[in-house]
Amino acid sequence: MTDALRTLSTQVTDVTDGLCAYLDASPSPFHAVETAAELLRQGGFSEVAECDPTPSAPGRYVVRRAGSLLAWSTAEVGEGRAAHTPYRVVGAHTDSPNLRIKPLPDWSRAGWQMLGVEVYGGALTNSWLDRDLGLSGRVAVRDDAVTGGISQRLWRCDDPILRVSQLAIHLDRTVRSEGLQLNDQLHLAPHWGQGVERANFRSWLAEQVGVQAEALLGFDAMTHDLTPARRVGAQGELIASARLDNLATSYASVRAILHAVEHPCDGPVIPVIVLFDHEEVGSMSERGAHSTFLPAWLERIVMAAGGNREDYWRALASTVIASGDMAHATHPNYAERHEPGHPIMVNAGPVLKVNTNLRYATDSLGAATFTLACEAAGVPMQTFVTRSDLPCGSTVGPMTSALTGATTVDFGAPMLSMHSSRELAGTLDQAGYAAALAAFLTPA
Ligand code: ZN
């Protein structure tokens, strides 16, 4: 452990406990946004609806678009700020790979009541086998009391009602020699009851949310492993949980802006965080990183200060975006899968991500900006590049940079088992991560 990280270690318990609570409270992107909004409200942010005028008064604000959230503060730059005041933006994503319930999910076979599921994102599907699974998401219900006749609500069920059972070794011994082969259609359906009759998922869900079955007009429903997030390792130096990719960054972002508004910088910069849904499936939606969500709000904030489109483009010309997503630590059992010149260790600091083919948006200027933020926070930095003979992952950075023209840097916190239903990261890294992001939002 370095000296700089040793000083951060005093914050480890607070950050780790906070992250574990955030992870457990956020089984779906909708819950991740709800939980983040609540933390921001406690920090003095007030919520703005997208259909309302953008507030012109200096203040701390948060806006949501379903599973996406954007928060900003003009309180520190204050009254009479220049309309072209640049932004510092930290981006992350709220969604994680999982199994999602099909619209007409009920079927039965061999005396089991089954649910049809679709794999969301690049899940390591083997990690969903033999786990106690709950369900969560959002429903749209008939509501004559509101305009449009539809209201939405979040729901979750933390009872262990679902399980995807794997086949006994005696019935297919080739799994030992050839590895487990899972077909998404055939082998991942959870069972959730017994009997020859099909169960009725819609009726069950209507009861869960307290409405008549006819009033349930639509649902977004997904599975979650019920094992809580917890510290693991001989010294408790690790954290094991679902959804670390990328709720660890979402949580660090929220902490960072809360810190930034309490300790503002001298320079005129507006701190922003944006948490996107749908990163794991390409970001092309009304609320993903490829949407209008970020650029529209950056423009609206300029307009609310009396600016015009010229001011908006001037603001973007000096804006820097830090796109945070988890990074691959070198796996001890598969070290040959990693670039040998760029080893990445857990609990050794945030990771700058570089890819010359622009799977990451980092360039030398972005790298320099992030390096200064880590320096200011007293956090060591690591640099990741993938092996030249392996395809590189990607994230929201290239999209936000293309949509805004802002200098962008991709970075992450190191972890193992990315896209497993149970991932692993370092507790020390989480404290360093939040500190580095806070420093990024408040440049000297
Ligand atoms: Zn991710």
Side-chain angles (χ1 to χ4, degrees):
M1 190 192 295
T2 65
D3 287 347
L5 279 178
R6 194 169 288 117
T7 54
L8 276 169
S9 65
T10 56
Q11 299 163 22
V12 162
T13 300
D14 184 46
V15 176
T16 304
D17 290 352
L19 174 58
C20 286
Y22 182 66
L23 290 159
D24 292 342
S26 308
S28 78
F30 311 110
H31 290 82
V33 157
E34 171 70 22
T35 315
E38 177 55 30
L39 291 170
L40 291 163
R41 277 193 292 266
Q42 290 169 12
F45 284 71
S46 40
E47 187 139 6
V48 177
E50 285 211 276
C51 53
D52 288 341
T54 309
S56 55
R60 302 170 183 176
Y61 302 104
V62 56
V63 63
R64 285 191 252 184
R65 193 181 284 182
S68 297
L69 173 149
L70 185 140
W72 77 97
S73 178
T74 49
E76 297 70 41
V77 286
E79 207 74 61
R81 71 184 149 96
H84 60 269
T85 303
Y87 301 97
R88 279 291 173 115
V89 183
V90 170
H93 68 87
T94 57
D95 60 322
S96 302
N98 56 19
L99 306 178
R100 300 198 171 186
I101 308 301
K102 289 181 174 176
L104 305 172
D106 303 310
W107 57 287
S108 66
R109 181 186 283 166
W112 293 94
Q113 293 167 329
M114 311 294 291
L115 280 180
V117 292
E118 205 172 354
V119 178
Y120 176 85
L124 281 172
T125 49
N126 62 300
S127 69
W128 288 86
L129 303 176
D130 299 343
R131 289 187 178 271
D132 302 338
L133 302 177
L135 281 168
S136 75
R138 179 181 69 158
V139 292
V141 299
R142 193 187 308 278
D143 187 348
D144 296 334
V146 299
T147 311
I150 300 168
S151 66
Q152 299 187 75
R153 56 185 85 164
L154 303 191
W155 63 277
R156 65 185 292 174
C157 171
D158 287 328
D159 296 328
I161 54 172
L162 303 181
R163 178 185 163 100
V164 184
S165 290
Q166 66 177 318
L167 186 65
I169 183 73
H170 316 80
L171 303 181
D172 182 7
R173 292 189 186 274
T174 63
V175 296
R176 298 278 294 168
S177 53
E178 295 169 21
L180 184 60
Q181 303 292 323
L182 290 174
N183 177 296
D184 286 0
Q185 173 70 18
L186 301 176
H187 303 141
L188 294 176
H191 48 82
W192 71 317
Q194 290 182 283
V196 292
E197 296 291 318
R198 292 179 183 184
N200 189 322
F201 178 75
R202 232 167 220 280
S203 298
W204 174 85
L205 182 53
E207 201 176 312
Q208 288 285 310
V209 297
V211 300
Q212 300 291 319
E214 313 81 67
L216 184 65
L217 300 177
F219 62 80
D220 302 298
M222 60 199 77
T223 54
H224 60 277
D225 178 18
L226 290 167
T227 315
R230 65 181 302 187
R231 290 178 81 148
V232 300
Q235 312 290 329
E237 72 278 32
L238 303 168
I239 176 167
S241 175
R243 304 178 295 281
L244 283 166
D245 175 15
N246 192 17
L247 294 189
T249 313
S250 296
Y251 179 69
S253 307
V254 171
R255 280 190 80 106
I257 197 167
L258 289 172
H259 186 275
V261 297
E262 294 301 328
H263 305 86
C265 56
D266 294 335
V269 169
I270 298 172
V272 177
I273 63 167
V274 59
L275 313 180
F276 291 111
D277 198 354
H278 293 157
E279 189 274 345
E280 299 292 358
V281 292
S283 299
M284 185 69 84
S285 70
E286 100 290 3
R287 59 185 185 265
H290 214 287
S291 74
T292 57
F293 190 49
L294 176 64
W297 275 98
L298 296 183
E299 184 170 356
R300 287 177 70 162
I301 295 164
V302 168
M303 300 289 184
N308 56 27
R309 202 127 169 100
E310 167 79 356
D311 293 308
Y312 171 58
W313 292 112
R314 286 181 69 193
L316 290 184
S318 302
T319 290
V320 188
I321 300 176
S323 153
D325 203 349
M326 299 301 273
H328 298 297
T330 303
H331 194 303
N333 294 350
Y334 302 88
E336 73 284 357
R337 306 293 291 178
H338 301 264
E339 158 58 45
H342 294 71
I344 303 294
M345 301 287 294
V346 165
N347 284 331
V351 180
L352 181 75
K353 300 196 224 176
V354 181
N355 180 254
T356 54
N357 291 295
L358 292 186
R359 301 289 288 167
Y360 301 128
T362 307
D363 63 3
S364 57
L365 182 56
T369 309
F370 192 68
T371 302
L372 289 184
C374 288
E375 265 180 34
V379 179
M381 193 185 83
Q382 310 183 77
T383 303
F384 173 85
V385 63
T386 202
R387 280 183 65 99
S388 302
D389 53 3
L390 283 178
C392 184
S394 191
T395 181
V396 300
M399 279 171 253
T400 56
S401 67
L403 284 168
T404 62
T407 297
T408 303
V409 54
D410 274 298
F411 68 94
M415 67 177 295
L416 296 179
S417 306
M418 192 180 289
H419 289 195
S420 167
S421 69
R422 190 88 178 153
E423 301 171 327
L424 190 77
T427 54
L428 197 51
D429 283 327
Q430 303 312 311
Y433 205 27
L437 294 188
F440 173 82
L441 289 175
T442 51

